[in-house]
Amino acid sequence: MKKEFGFVLAAAILLAGCGQKKETTTTTARPVKTTIVESRSIIRKDFSGIVEAVEYVKLAFRVNGQIIQLPVIEGQKVKKGQLIAAIDPRDIALQYAATKSAYETASAQVERNKRLLSRQAISVQEYEISLANFQKAKSEYELSANNMRDTKLTAPFDGSIEKRLVENYQRVNSGEGIVQLVNTHNLRIIPDAYLYLLRAKDPRFLVEFDTFKGHVFQAKLEEYLDISTDGTGIPVSITIDDPSFDRDLYAVKPGFTCSIRFTADVGPLVQDSWTIVPLSAVFGESEGNKMYVWVVEDNKVHKREVTVNAPTGEAQALISEGLKPGEKIVIAGVYQLVEGESITTVDR
């Protein structure tokens, strides 16, 4: 009997010890990092961008024919007015000669009939017929002259041959692309930006090309549209206006990628209650698309829904609803907390 009593007593002590340990675990305050919510108007955001040519064109002949000259190669720099390609002009030259002769004959006939009409040697109707024939011959002659000029394809601006689309001695049709010409001196950068940021006061950009790491250049907003017709995002472009951006030293070409640091004062665009918090403070749940933060009150955490307007760069988020300046929030370990849990603040 004593042996049984001793076993029961030992079990009771063990259970009591376990219960005491469990109670100690639940009442221990969890250490977390916190910060005070502040209202800010200067925000920064990092974008990625790609270089795009402002001027680029697919050059093509306006007449049919066989190419007999194609002196350019891909990557070659060309000047405005430089010969890009030429087609065999013989058939067009014959047509040009015929229309020129017909035009000169019709012109002489009009002059002759004008003198005869002044002496009333012919009727007004005969003169008008010769005048109509002259206008027709003139149009055909001018068309042939244009076709003769169009047998040679020249560069409309300084640039580089991005791609050669045909080969020499190939027969081409009117409108068929011959080369892709790009103006590599007139470039712009297309970033992925939030439209409201672009309306901010004094927006500033810093650009660093992936090919030239460590070299940062100042840039300015060129243009943007308030609409996106194809649903791919708001079209935005910026241009570099930094005097240190030497194109001979930094040979940036269309298609180069870059990182963009954007800074602006959004104070006039947002309400006084809008705040900026670290992105690490914001979390979501497995179901739904709502966002939350842990607000600290009396050393306990309480989950509160917030409206995230947009990420702002530097691992921060712009909160338009749900927080007020001066409140304390948790910024690390948000997924380990539960509602009402006691916490202790750890210095950042």
Side-chain angles (χ1 to χ4, degrees), residues 129-149:
I129 292 175
S130 66
L131 185 60
N133 291 336
F134 166 74
Q135 293 294 343
K136 179 182 178 182
K138 180 181 179 182
S139 298
E140 292 176 349
Y141 167 65
E142 291 176 347
L143 178 60
S144 296
N146 289 337
N147 289 341
M148 276 297 296
R149 286 191 293 269

Side-chain angles (χ1 to χ4, degrees), residues 8-230:
V8 172
L9 180 61
I13 294 173
L14 180 62
L15 290 174
C18 292
Q20 184 178 3
K21 183 177 181 181
K22 181 177 182 181
E23 181 180 357
T24 302
T25 303
T26 56
T27 57
T28 300
R30 183 186 297 273
V32 297
K33 292 182 179 181
T34 62
T35 189
I36 302 298
V37 178
E38 297 179 354
S39 177
R40 291 175 53 187
S41 59
I42 302 297
I43 65 172
R44 296 175 177 85
K45 179 170 175 59
D46 295 325
F47 299 100
S48 60
I50 187 169
V51 179
E52 180 182 273
V54 177
E55 288 184 300
Y56 59 93
V57 64
K58 184 181 293 183
L59 297 180
F61 287 106
R62 300 177 64 182
V63 293
N64 305 331
Q66 182 184 21
I67 297 177
I68 58 173
Q69 292 185 65
L70 190 57
V72 296
I73 60 175
E74 293 184 358
Q76 178 179 339
K77 294 182 179 180
V78 296
K79 295 291 185 180
K80 181 179 180 180
Q82 183 175 333
L83 179 67
I84 301 297
I87 61 175
D88 191 344
R90 288 178 295 180
D91 293 341
I92 297 176
L94 291 174
Q95 182 67 24
Y96 171 75
T99 56
K100 181 179 180 181
S101 177
Y103 165 70
E104 292 173 348
T105 300
S107 178
Q109 185 64 46
V110 167
E111 293 299 324
R112 187 182 306 111
N113 286 350
K114 185 184 296 185
R115 292 192 298 270
L116 293 174
L117 181 62
S118 64
R119 297 195 297 266
Q120 297 184 348
I122 61 172
S123 65
V124 175
Q125 183 179 7
E126 289 177 302
Y127 172 74
E128 291 177 346
I129 292 175
S130 66
L131 185 60
N133 291 336
F134 166 74
Q135 293 294 343
K136 179 182 178 182
K138 180 181 179 182
S139 298
E140 292 176 349
Y141 167 65
E142 291 176 347
L143 178 60
S144 296
N146 289 337
N147 289 341
M148 276 297 296
R149 286 191 293 269
D150 290 337
T151 59
K152 292 184 178 181
L153 195 62
T154 58
F157 50 77
D158 294 350
S160 296
I161 303 298
E162 181 183 24
K163 186 179 295 185
R164 204 170 77 164
L165 306 173
V166 297
E167 297 299 328
N168 201 8
Y169 306 113
Q170 179 178 334
R171 187 168 184 85
V172 295
N173 296 320
S174 172
E176 182 178 349
I178 306 301
V179 298
Q180 179 87 7
L181 179 64
V182 178
N183 185 347
T184 56
H185 292 280
N186 191 6
L187 302 175
R188 60 187 173 194
I189 300 170
I190 308 298
D192 174 21
Y194 291 92
L195 182 60
Y196 84 95
L197 297 178
L198 301 175
R199 294 172 176 162
K201 179 182 179 181
D202 190 24
R204 298 180 298 277
F205 300 88
L206 293 176
V207 177
E208 181 181 18
F209 296 99
D210 295 342
T211 310
F212 302 103
K213 287 291 187 180
H215 300 273
V216 181
F217 306 100
Q218 296 180 2
K220 65 178 181 179
L221 179 66
E222 181 185 40
E223 62 181 0
Y224 67 89
L225 301 178
D226 287 353
I227 59 174
S228 176
T229 55
D230 55 3

Side-chain angles (χ1 to χ4, degrees), residues 258-311:
C258 62
S259 58
I260 304 167
R261 168 60 59 89
F262 172 80
T263 305
D265 181 3
V266 296
L269 306 178
V270 301
Q271 301 178 12
D272 294 338
S273 60
W274 287 27
T275 57
I276 293 180
V277 302
L279 275 174
S280 60
V282 182
F283 64 95
E285 297 180 335
S286 57
E287 297 181 359
N289 55 2
K290 294 182 179 180
M291 305 302 294
Y292 303 91
V293 297
W294 290 112
V295 179
V296 179
E297 296 178 358
D298 298 327
N299 292 328
K300 293 185 178 182
V301 293
H302 303 281
K303 185 171 68 174
R304 184 184 299 175
E305 183 180 351
V306 294
T307 300
V308 181
N309 189 275

